[in-house]
Structures are given as structure tokens and as C-alpha cells.
Amino acid sequence: MTIQELAAKLANYCRNGQFETALKELYADDTVSIEPFPTPGFEKETKGKEACFAKAELFNSMVEEVHAIAVSEPLITENIIAFTLDMDLTMKEKGRTRMNELCVYTVKDGKIIAEQFFY
């Protein structure tokens, strides 16, 4: 799979809220996920596909309702994919919120080896 094909698949999965499917299909086993800073329940850095699945499940357990998800067209370099992700969500016990972030993915050998979020 070319990086352009991977970027298109990733963006489409994210647009459809299929984050776990993207993890399963597009990520390397030793992937790393990096947040800007640690927050309650979430470390700054999560290592390994299984740990990233657990992180996604924890986030999903906090979401009461998804109102909308928007993803920009990906920007692509030789081994980097980047796009904006805008989510309108109702979080359990916190109410409705909008999350907007820049998502940057590093690709090696046709798999995502790192994701980093900026918000």
C-alpha cells in the first residue's frame, strides 16, 4: 500500500469514527501514540498496538454521543501524514464539547509506527 492509499484509508476511517478499525488494519504492532501532555487516565505516551487499543476503548467509554466528525484532506510527505480532526461530542458527566486537533502520523514499511496529536 502506498502512503497515499494509507492516508486515504486512515482519513476515511476517522471520518466514520472507525478508529479501532484503523488501528487494527493500518498500525504496526510497536506503534507509539503521543499526546501533548498527560491527562487523567491518559499518559503522554502510549506504546504498542494493544495499549493503543486500550486507550481508544477508554476514550470511547467516556463518550455519550457523537454529533459530528470532520477530517481535512491529508497532507502527505515521504513518510508523514497529517490532517485536522474536528469532533463534536457529548462526554459523559462533562456535557457537549468540541475537540479540534492536528493529527500527525509517521509511516514505515506501509504501517503507522507513530501518531502524535496537537491540541
Side-chain angles (χ1 to χ4, degrees):
M1 175 178 337
T2 67
I3 192 164
Q4 290 81 8
E5 292 168 331
L6 192 145
K9 277 190 164 195
L10 177 62
N12 284 330
Y13 282 142
C14 291
R15 283 184 188 107
N16 293 307
Q18 297 174 304
F19 303 105
E20 290 85 0
T21 303
L23 264 167
K24 181 179 180 182
E25 184 180 326
L26 305 176
Y27 284 63
D29 289 339
D30 61 348
T31 194
V32 63
S33 179
I34 304 166
E35 298 288 338
F37 43 83
T39 57
F42 298 93
E43 299 293 326
K44 178 172 175 46
E45 191 170 288
T46 304
K47 293 183 180 180
K49 187 189 277 191
E50 291 306 314
C52 288
F53 269 113
K55 176 182 169 184
E57 287 176 354
L58 175 60
F59 180 79
N60 286 337
S61 75
M62 300 167 68
V63 176
E64 184 175 310
E65 184 177 354
V66 177
H67 304 286
I69 299 174
V71 174
S72 69
E73 286 302 311
L75 295 172
I76 303 167
T77 66
E78 185 175 330
N79 70 322
I80 302 291
I81 300 165
F83 53 73
T84 60
L85 173 65
D86 186 29
M87 296 186 290
D88 180 4
L89 309 170
T90 297
M91 304 298 288
K92 294 176 182 172
E93 301 179 20
K94 293 187 179 184
R96 194 163 178 171
T97 187
R98 186 170 177 182
M99 297 180 176
N100 186 271
E101 55 193 59
L102 176 65
C103 308
V104 180
Y105 304 87
T106 304
V107 177
K108 182 178 178 186
D109 299 326
K111 293 286 185 180
I112 295 169
I113 61 166
E115 64 180 11
Q116 188 166 4
F117 304 108
F118 300 89
Y119 49 86

